Amino acid sequence: MTFTRHWKKVALTLAAALLVAVVVVAVAGWYLSNLLRDGGLVPEHDGPEYDLVVAAVSEGTVTLRTTSDSDEDGDWWRTGLWGLEWDSDYVQVGTVLERTDDQVVREFFVPTRPPDSRPPPEITPPVGEKVRLDSFAYSGDPRVDLGLVFEEVFYSSPLGEFPAWLARGTSDTWAIFVHGKGSDQREALRMLPTVAAVGLPALVITYRNDEDLPEDPDGYYAYGLTEWEDLEAAAEYAIENGAERLVLVGYSMGGGIVTNFLYQSPLADRVVGTILDAPMLDFSRTVDLGAREDGYPQIFASLAKTFAGFRFDVDWDKLDYLARVEELDTPILLFHGDEDDVVPVETSDALAEARPDIVTYVRVVGARHVRAWNTEGDAYEAAVAEFLQGLTR
């Protein structure tokens, strides 16, 4: 009897421990999947965060000092061309002249205007003003910033009406730009002058879950699984208005949207080329990178993904666009920075390795997420121009 009672106690103890473990896993999975939902699925359109302060200004230079909100590995000290924004105005900053642990001296200037436009106004960042660096590099109006004549047009997708910028050109090959998650049309401004110089009309689109526009029925980003339908509607608009061929340009999540369009849309046969900048090609691996950057071990990322799969209907297999790369058949110009802390550069490495027959890969040393142009602008623009000229000859 003593022996039987002993093993009953052991069994009860093991069962209790197992129950506790199940509860702990369930609670942890629920909590971690909430983090994934809030950080990766729920659309957010927060205003700009001004995380630097102007410490000094002299002839053509500005001294920027970090604050408690600054990312010490951020853009403020990195080489290249950036926008400098504050509440009331916008300039650009370039070459780093001096740097310490908490401040940097950089060149600053008002963005160059086209020769036939009015000269740029005199703008000086006020000392003491809170500012931020902006990777888009231009304030947001193609006509003012770049001298590009454009009009706002509208196209209809399954969810309703969506606005787009249309800059007309001389070619019957149109470029369609698809911005990244939580971003907007300004993301295209860095490439638009190169596209215009080649003569391509450019359609810079919006899509579901953009600010003040129709939402996806489930209220979440789908990383291309649904948004490709909005891109297809934009492609239909372009074709109805004279486009014979299409070049698709996708940034970050926009790269996933473009890639799934190539897999799903019957209009994919109109696409003669694709430009991808830090494309999100495998959402699972992107989540893994985000977990590592936040200090979570891989087992936590796996738990979050498992719970998110059944709680929020995330289909991880369908969001692995690398699994179908053998189906791609149009030339791809691919940019990715080797210091990307949002979308793993290894996913672009994998695309380039799997399809060297169609991929021209520009892996930019020192560039963070969607910052290849900012880091190596001249080389970036030259690669785009050469790629587009090869498509339109």
Side-chain angles (χ1 to χ4, degrees), residues 176-181 187 207 222-225 227-228 231 248-263 274-282 319-322 328 332-336 343 347-348 351 369-370:
I176 302 180
F177 287 80
V178 187
H179 66 73
K181 168 181 170 283
E187 194 156 34
Y207 55 83
Y223 290 85
L225 293 186
E227 294 92 347
W228 74 268
L231 173 55
L248 304 182
V249 183
Y251 299 91
S252 191
M253 187 180 88
I257 295 170
V258 165
T259 305
N260 201 36
F261 171 94
L262 295 175
Y263 295 147
T274 300
I275 301 176
L276 302 176
D277 192 329
M280 198 299 301
L281 298 174
D282 185 344
L319 285 165
D320 178 8
Y321 299 126
L322 290 170
L328 299 172
I332 296 172
L333 176 59
L334 175 63
F335 295 99
H336 212 130
V343 173
T347 54
S348 285
L351 172 59
H369 187 55
V370 200

Side-chain angles (χ1 to χ4, degrees), residues 334 346-357 359 361:
L334 175 63
E346 291 79 12
T347 54
S348 285
D349 295 345
L351 172 59
E353 183 177 353
R355 295 304 308 271
D357 54 322
V359 175
Y361 188 21

Side-chain angles (χ1 to χ4, degrees), residues 4 16 25 37 40 53 167 208 234 304 376:
T4 302
V25 168
R37 176 199 63 195
V53 66
R208 65 190 66 194
E376 294 286 351

Side-chain angles (χ1 to χ4, degrees), residues 40-334:
L41 301 178
V42 175
E44 291 185 356
H45 304 290
D46 298 331
E49 179 182 357
Y50 300 108
D51 60 345
L52 301 167
V53 66
V54 177
V57 177
S58 63
E59 187 67 30
T61 70
V62 59
T63 302
L64 304 174
R65 183 171 297 145
T66 60
T67 69
S68 58
D69 296 322
S70 303
D71 177 1
E72 57 183 49
D73 192 36
D75 296 328
W76 60 274
W77 60 266
R78 291 175 179 269
T79 188
L81 181 63
W82 314 84
L84 183 68
E85 180 183 13
W86 59 100
D87 268 341
S88 61
D89 238 316
Y90 196 101
V91 295
Q92 289 177 332
V93 295
T95 303
V96 174
L97 303 174
E98 299 176 29
R99 178 194 166 193
T100 64
D101 287 343
D102 66 349
Q103 71 178 32
V104 65
V105 180
R106 308 189 70 133
E107 294 180 338
F108 91 88
F109 37 85
V110 176
T112 303
R113 301 282 176 85
D116 58 349
S117 67
R118 289 180 298 175
E122 293 293 328
I123 302 174
T124 301
V127 174
E129 186 81 11
K130 294 203 74 174
V131 297
R132 75 179 189 103
L133 287 196
D134 176 31
S135 64
F136 296 165
Y138 296 98
S139 59
D141 186 320
R143 184 180 292 105
V144 173
D145 293 336
L146 306 170
L148 288 178
V149 176
F150 78 102
E151 58 191 292
E152 186 171 59
V153 299
F154 293 86
Y155 66 94
S156 296
S157 92
L159 293 186
E161 291 266 297
F162 288 84
W165 293 340
L166 173 58
R168 298 191 182 274
T170 58
S171 174
D172 59 7
T173 300
W174 287 37
I176 302 180
F177 287 80
V178 187
H179 66 73
K181 168 181 170 283
S183 184
D184 57 45
Q185 292 161 289
R186 292 191 309 129
E187 194 156 34
L189 290 172
R190 293 166 293 181
M191 195 189 297
L192 273 177
T194 307
V195 171
V198 178
L200 273 62
L203 189 67
V204 185
I205 73 167
T206 54
Y207 55 83
R208 65 190 66 194
N209 292 324
D210 279 358
E211 189 170 11
D212 299 325
L213 292 177
E215 296 182 354
D216 198 88
D218 67 7
Y220 296 143
Y221 289 119
Y223 290 85
L225 293 186
T226 58
E227 294 92 347
W228 74 268
E229 296 177 352
D230 302 329
L231 173 55
E232 182 177 66
E236 289 172 347
Y237 174 90
I239 292 166
E240 289 167 2
N241 285 273
E244 294 293 333
R245 292 168 295 278
L246 303 173
V247 174
L248 304 182
V249 183
Y251 299 91
S252 191
M253 187 180 88
I257 295 170
V258 165
T259 305
N260 201 36
F261 171 94
L262 295 175
Y263 295 147
Q264 303 291 346
S265 176
L267 298 180
D269 61 2
R270 294 286 194 124
V271 178
V272 295
T274 300
I275 301 176
L276 302 176
D277 192 329
M280 198 299 301
L281 298 174
D282 185 344
F283 189 39
S284 177
R285 291 170 69 175
T286 300
V287 170
D288 290 345
L289 175 61
R292 290 196 300 274
E293 290 290 326
D294 289 341
Y296 289 101
Q298 178 59 45
I299 190 172
F300 281 30
S302 300
L303 195 58
K305 290 187 293 185
T306 298
F307 273 71
F310 66 78
R311 287 188 65 198
F312 312 125
D313 197 27
V314 179
D315 192 325
W316 299 100
D317 290 337
K318 287 185 178 178
L319 285 165
D320 178 8
Y321 299 126
L322 290 170
R324 299 176 60 182
V325 294
E326 73 282 350
E327 300 175 33
L328 299 172
D329 59 5
T330 58
I332 296 172
L333 176 59
L334 175 63

